[in-house]
Amino acid sequence: MIRLKGLAAAAVVLAVMPVFTHPQDQSQRVLSFRIIVLESADEAERVRQQLLDGANILELAQRLSVDPSGRTGGLVGPVALGDLRPQLRDVLQRLRVGELSDVVPLPTGFAILKIAPGIEARADDTRAATPASSGTIMTALNAGGAVKYVFDLSGYTENVVSLRRAAIPPDAYQNFATFCQLRRQLVDSARSLLDKALAAGSSTAPTTALDRAQAYFLQAQLHAYRGEMAAAIASLENARRIADTDVPDLRLQLDQALGVAHLHKAEIDNRVLHEPGARCLLLEKPEQPFANTADVVKAIEYFSRYLAGMPNDLEVRWLLNLAHMFAGTYPDKVPGGQLVPPSAFSSAEQVERFHDVAPRAGLVSVASAGGLIVDDFDNDGRLDIVTSSLDSCDGMRFFSRTADGRFIERAATAGLADQLGSLNILQTDYNNDGALDILVLRGAWEMPLRKSLLRNNGNGTFTDVTVASGLAGTLTGTQSAVWTDVDNDGFVDLFVGVEDGPAQLFRNRGDGTFEDIAAKAGVARRAFNKGVAAADYDNDGWQDLYVSNLGGVNFLYRNNHDGTFTESGRAAGAPGPGQGFPTWFFDYDNDGHPDLFAASFVTSVDEAARAYLRLPRNGDGLKLYRNLGDGSFEDVTQQVGLDKSLMVMGSNFGDIDNDGYLDMYLGTGNPSYAALVPSLLLRNNAGKSFVDVTGSSGTGELHKGHGVAFADLDNDGDEEIVFEVGGATPGDVHALRLFENPGHGNDWITVKLVGVKTNRPAFGARITATVHAKGTTRSIHRTVGSGGSFGASPLQQHIGLGPGAERVDLEVWWPTSNTRQRFPAIGKNRFVEITELARDYVSVERTPLPLGKRN
């Protein structure tokens, strides 16, 4: 039996403690608290007396506080004590959970503080506290700190904290089966200890009403983690009964928790997560209500009760509307003051409807959050699909394409089934043998684990060569990496973004091994890296790097051509959103210069609702930086219509209508079962703006969006969207989505490049398609890569040409040889292969492959 440290106490204390403290350094203590700021000392004293007499701090904060946090009941955090003003830090260090402070003078007024119990806002030590997540005090009491973070019911945080407190055998970090066993034992042990503590007559039972309520809340979290929602609801009801008589401040939070629990139970009982169809889509006119609505009705009851006390809470208002959609009573039965109108979900532009055909195509996969690759791994001209799962006990899936178009799962025979627990995967050809290999990334959000480099043997199997290649040495927590040739020697190198240490840059020696040169290259900075991308942004012939960070400025590393890089993010005008996640380079306006997209990750349903209701955002927004061609960028986010604050995770770009301009699909989410916000399909309007076409396209999946790829899977000349959906817990698995493109009638060409002096998969090579149509000429630009930093599209480049192409000329630039190939009048609506230095291209026959009948 694996020994667990401190779980007997942690089982109860975990939810009660507002922080996970480091006794030797109180400045690193992280907590959440509620604050009311009044204009005068006398008014503050009167309000404090009302609170002592039993008034509800949430209601008073919302009604009276002059601080922007008042709109969310005064909740601030999680925040590190060291980041607060000294007068606040001193007060909070002395307060106990639930205790009210004296009046505290501030530059902006007079404050009353109360540390929030864990049930209201449990500190999440899976990421460092940052100004963007620290509330109003950190931002000089401005509106930017008023983000209301999503209410967490999932059990994920509890599981991660227990994992970090466990005495883990050394081999578990390298042995996937051992680590799987550890995770299972941790959950079982924590539940067993907590059940015993809450049993009648237990000597370890919590003594105060607050402790008992929170122990039941923790018990609910542990049940919710595995999707045992009936048991979770029973525990929450026990906590609610205690709150009714002894802890009135917890009533509203427990009403919200019960609403979320019933809603998730309804999804599980109706098999929505396994067989989603249209029931998981946010549509202007919902099409398929749930068959069994008993739990949905209970969710509506609890959300309505909560809103009676907190009518301005946008998160619960949003969830109430979703519950009515699931019940088939939207919009008629939603109270007028709480209705999110159908017009909020309508698309500004209409596109043809995409339909999910995954089951009929043989893509039957239900899994937790994970990665996705779409590419041809056996060189038969048919695109295969590979997925991974965050679940430490769940292996990869490998869907090989048959000649009749069906997908057949054969991970076991390929040697991939025992590659467990990965949030992201990438394809490469690290040894230039013409067979695509796979990189598996692990440990993101949790703890350092080893990567896996899987060599493609060219016979339908893969071999784990991590140790032999030199990539197994330093364990990391990561889901972000990019393959690119930073020294132009013809072999792809590997940059790895790390969450818990310095970033890594592995130089490919060309003999199957790698050496980490990050420190020598000047890129071994420490930050919470969540996305990385590569491109030659300054057009000097050398690949540069961009690193997206969750909390703080992003890094833009300019290649100095001598094995070193210079960080120039701020100087070049591309500092990022502050709360970054996926990122990529792409030429959105087709001017020949790679532009830069940097998504924000603000874990707030409130912020998503604001975007739909056209309300001002409080959180960090998406960023689109236009490349000015002189080594600098211009922030064009607002003028292209992307100024939104969203919780963006797996995302990628492609051309949904073959107009030659790259569109994007943004997967959204957070571990909480309350994080039900739609992923977004944004159409590029001729490089001038991005238009939300989610509603009309039918791609507004409400559940957790991870790996995304754009790929022409049926060889008919337009790109499908493959979408790995699923949450962070075993209780929030979801079916893989395959949204078939209905077609839009424009022309296209697909180009596969094969490097000779340049790396074999042609990472970093550039393609320019010049299209002549109806007396006009325009150029369309693509760079070989897998797209976004969380989900991998095929390395072959699908290029939309727009309508009526009369002539198409191709030009290819190769980075290592610094040569150009030009092919005039190459034709359209065809597949071609171009080898570096060859005098001609090769036409490739691709047989249409049906994806199955539409649902």
Side-chain angles (χ1 to χ4, degrees):
M1 183 72 171
I2 294 173
R3 183 170 62 89
L4 308 178
K5 293 194 300 185
L7 271 180
V12 174
V13 175
L14 185 59
V16 179
M17 290 178 62
V19 302
F20 305 114
T21 61
H22 303 277
Q24 71 277 12
D25 184 3
Q26 281 291 310
S27 69
Q28 296 305 306
R29 184 181 171 196
V30 179
L31 53 77
S32 297
F33 59 94
R34 293 193 183 274
I35 183 170
I36 300 178
V37 181
L38 290 309
E39 292 181 348
S40 72
D42 288 343
E43 184 182 14
E45 287 290 353
R46 285 195 299 270
V47 171
R48 184 176 184 276
Q49 189 58 52
Q50 292 178 48
L51 292 169
L52 290 172
D53 292 339
N56 190 313
I57 190 170
L58 285 78
E59 188 274 330
L60 289 181
Q62 187 179 50
R63 183 161 55 87
L64 301 176
S65 182
V66 298
D67 184 71
S69 67
R71 72 187 72 179
T72 61
L75 185 63
V76 175
V79 56
L81 277 177
D83 291 334
L84 296 173
R85 296 178 182 276
Q87 59 266 53
L88 292 174
R89 181 171 62 248
D90 293 342
V91 170
L92 289 169
Q93 282 180 329
R94 295 192 299 268
L95 283 181
R96 296 174 57 119
V97 175
E99 187 178 1
L100 203 65
S101 76
D102 292 328
V103 173
V104 182
L106 295 176
T108 54
F110 298 84
I112 309 158
L113 297 94
K114 182 179 181 181
I115 293 181
I119 196 168
E120 293 181 333
R122 298 180 324 287
D124 181 355
D125 78 344
T126 62
R127 62 183 174 92
T130 66
S133 67
S134 298
T136 56
I137 310 305
M138 269 300 298
T139 51
L141 301 176
N142 63 21
V147 173
K148 180 183 184 296
Y149 291 90
V150 62
F151 183 90
D152 183 19
L153 181 71
S154 67
Y156 181 68
T157 297
E158 288 75 9
N159 185 270
V160 171
V161 173
S162 295
L163 178 67
R164 292 179 174 181
R165 290 176 174 176
I168 299 176
D171 69 324
Y173 298 103
Q174 300 274 1
N175 188 305
F176 309 135
T178 301
F179 195 69
C180 162
Q181 180 188 16
L182 168 66
R183 295 295 290 266
R184 285 178 172 167
Q185 288 183 6
L186 280 169
V187 176
D188 291 342
S189 297
R191 285 174 41 167
S192 176
L193 290 167
L194 189 56
D195 290 346
K196 289 177 182 178
L198 287 170
S202 170
S203 61
T204 60
T207 56
T208 70
L210 176 61
D211 287 352
R212 289 196 304 275
Q214 297 208 73
Y216 278 119
F217 184 81
L218 174 57
Q219 188 180 53
Q221 291 280 10
L222 297 178
H223 284 301
Y225 178 79
R226 286 184 169 169
E228 300 161 353
M229 301 314 297
I233 288 168
S235 298
L236 291 172
E237 288 172 342
N238 285 334
R240 186 63 169 80
R241 281 190 286 271
I242 294 171
D244 275 339
T245 57
D246 298 311
V247 197
D249 277 359
L250 300 185
R251 290 173 183 166
L252 288 179
Q253 285 71 36
L254 286 165
D255 284 340
Q256 182 174 5
L258 280 160
V260 172
H262 277 286
L263 200 61
H264 195 64
K265 182 175 183 293
E267 292 181 309
I268 292 174
D269 292 350
N270 284 274
R271 292 193 60 78
V272 170
L273 305 180
H274 286 70
E275 302 165 4
R279 295 179 296 175
C280 291
L281 301 179
L282 185 65
L283 301 167
E284 184 176 357
K285 297 180 180 178
E287 298 174 351
Q288 295 181 11
F290 293 2
N292 180 353
T293 60
D295 280 287
V296 181
V297 171
K298 290 293 291 184
I300 291 172
E301 176 186 329
Y302 281 112
F303 291 147
S304 299
R305 184 188 297 179
Y306 179 95
L307 288 167
M310 293 284 286
N312 295 324
D313 190 307
L314 277 182
E315 176 179 316
V316 178
R317 177 183 172 189
W318 176 269
L319 293 173
L320 175 69
N321 280 262
L322 290 186
H324 276 287
M325 291 180 186
F326 296 160
T329 53
Y330 174 88
D332 299 341
K333 299 296 184 180
V334 184
Q338 299 298 346
L339 178 66
V340 178
S343 59
F345 310 127
S346 61
S347 296
E349 292 182 3
Q350 298 298 307
V351 297
E352 293 295 320
R353 175 78 174 265
F354 286 65
H355 290 268
D356 180 9
V357 298
R360 290 189 178 274
L363 282 173
V364 179
S365 174
V366 179
S368 300
L372 168 73
I373 305 170
V374 180
D375 219 317
D376 183 1
F377 286 92
D378 51 9
N379 289 325
D380 63 359
R382 299 186 292 269
L383 295 175
D384 311 303
I385 295 177
V386 185
T387 66
S388 67
S389 172
L390 175 65
D391 190 324
S392 300
C393 299
D394 198 6
M396 294 171 63
R397 292 167 173 81
F398 181 41
F399 293 93
S400 179
R401 200 76 183 275
T402 63
D404 63 359
R406 294 282 296 175
F407 287 95
I408 304 297
E409 208 289 305
R410 57 178 193 85
T413 58
L416 300 179
D418 59 354
Q419 292 287 333
L420 309 179
S422 164
L423 192 55
N424 199 13
I425 51 179
L426 296 167
Q427 79 271 48
T428 187
D429 183 357
Y430 78 95
N431 54 3
N432 285 344
D433 67 353
L436 290 177
D437 315 299
I438 298 174
L439 176 71
V440 183
L441 302 172
R442 295 186 175 89
W445 303 107
E446 298 182 351
M447 65 190 309
L449 295 171
R450 86 161 174 90
K451 314 170 203 45
S452 290
L453 178 60
L454 309 178
R455 187 188 66 216
N456 190 332
N457 298 320
N459 60 1
T461 67
F462 294 81
T463 297
D464 191 329
V465 295
T466 315
V467 174
S469 69
L471 295 182
T474 302
L475 304 178
T476 58
T478 181
Q479 65 175 53
S480 58
V482 65
W483 292 95
T484 185
D485 185 357
V486 298
D487 52 5
N488 276 338
D489 67 350
F491 291 92
V492 286
D493 310 301
L494 174 63
F495 180 86
V496 180
V498 177
E499 298 176 358
D500 45 26
Q504 300 172 314
L505 176 58
F506 293 99
R507 178 182 174 272
N508 190 332
R509 294 189 178 104
D511 60 359
T513 67
F514 295 82
E515 60 173 330
D516 188 354
I517 61 169
K520 181 172 61 177
V523 298
R525 292 187 173 218
R526 286 176 176 264
F528 203 83
N529 304 157
K530 292 306 295 179
V532 295
D536 178 10
Y537 81 91
D538 52 2
N539 287 331
D540 64 355
W542 295 77
Q543 294 292 300
D544 311 297
L545 302 166
Y546 190 74
V547 184
S548 176
N549 298 317
L550 186 63
V553 69
N554 292 351
F555 306 144
L556 176 63
Y557 291 115
R558 189 185 71 244
N559 195 322
N560 297 325
H561 315 169
D562 60 359
T564 68
F565 292 78
T566 298
E567 202 290 307
S568 56
R570 287 190 185 277
Q579 288 289 95
F581 205 158
T583 188
W584 58 71
F585 288 97
F586 70 152
D587 189 354
Y588 84 94
D589 55 359
N590 275 328
D591 66 353
H593 303 293
D595 309 300
L596 182 55
F597 175 73
S600 60
F601 183 61
V602 180
T603 56
S604 170
V605 173
D606 177 278
E607 289 294 308
R610 288 176 173 278
Y612 278 93
L613 292 168
R614 313 297 193 268
L615 296 175
R617 64 173 175 84
N618 292 319
D620 298 308
L622 310 175
K623 289 295 182 182
L624 180 63
Y625 298 113
R626 180 174 176 268
N627 192 326
L628 298 178
D630 59 359
S632 67
F633 294 87
E634 172 192 10
D635 186 342
V636 296
T637 309
Q638 205 157 26
Q639 67 193 60
V640 300
L642 289 178
D643 190 23
K644 305 171 187 291
S645 179
L646 302 171
M647 45 180 138
V648 182
M649 299 192 301
S651 305
N652 216 321
F653 58 87
D655 187 352
I656 63 167
D657 52 6
N658 283 342
D659 67 350
Y661 291 94
L662 291 167
D663 316 301
M664 63 177 82
Y665 187 61
L666 307 181
T668 63
N670 167 268
S672 174
Y673 298 161
L676 294 171
V677 296
S679 297
L680 300 180
L681 182 59
L682 304 175
R683 180 182 173 275
N684 186 336
N685 182 17
K688 299 174 183 176
S689 65
F690 285 85
V691 180
D692 189 338
V693 294
T694 307
S696 60
S697 65
T699 55
E701 168 62 59
L702 285 165
H703 295 99
K704 318 303 163 55
H706 288 89
V708 175
F710 285 77
D712 181 7
L713 286 171
D714 49 8
N715 291 340
D716 66 351
D718 48 45
E719 291 186 299
E720 278 67 51
I721 300 173
V722 189
F723 194 19
E724 172 77 351
V725 186
T729 69
D732 203 18
V733 296
H734 199 283
L736 181 75
R737 292 284 210 173
L738 169 54
F739 291 115
E740 183 182 14
N741 194 318
H744 296 81
N746 288 335
D747 296 317
W748 55 276
I749 189 169
T750 296
V751 183
K752 178 181 179 180
L753 298 185
V754 179
V756 176
K757 290 188 175 182
T758 298
N759 63 87
R760 180 72 177 264
F763 282 104
R766 293 192 182 187
I767 304 169
T768 300
T770 302
V771 183
H772 307 265
K774 300 179 180 178
T776 63
T777 301
R778 68 173 178 133
S779 295
I780 300 166
H781 302 274
R782 297 289 184 268
T783 301
V784 175
S786 60
S789 56
F790 197 170
S793 298
L795 298 181
Q796 67 180 30
Q797 295 299 298
H798 178 90
I799 305 172
L801 304 175
E806 297 164 358
R807 171 177 162 171
V808 181
D809 305 329
L810 283 185
E811 178 179 288
V812 181
W813 172 77
W814 298 90
T816 298
S817 63
N818 193 23
T819 59
R820 295 183 185 275
Q821 294 166 294
R822 295 179 176 85
F823 303 104
I826 201 169
K828 63 180 182 179
N829 301 335
R830 62 191 307 190
F831 298 86
V832 300
E833 184 174 301
I834 298 174
T835 299
E836 185 177 14
L837 306 177
R839 300 184 63 178
D840 207 349
Y841 65 88
V842 176
S843 292
V844 179
E845 293 298 323
R846 294 279 175 86
T847 304
L849 298 170
L851 290 173
K853 184 179 179 182
R854 290 180 179 176
N855 292 338

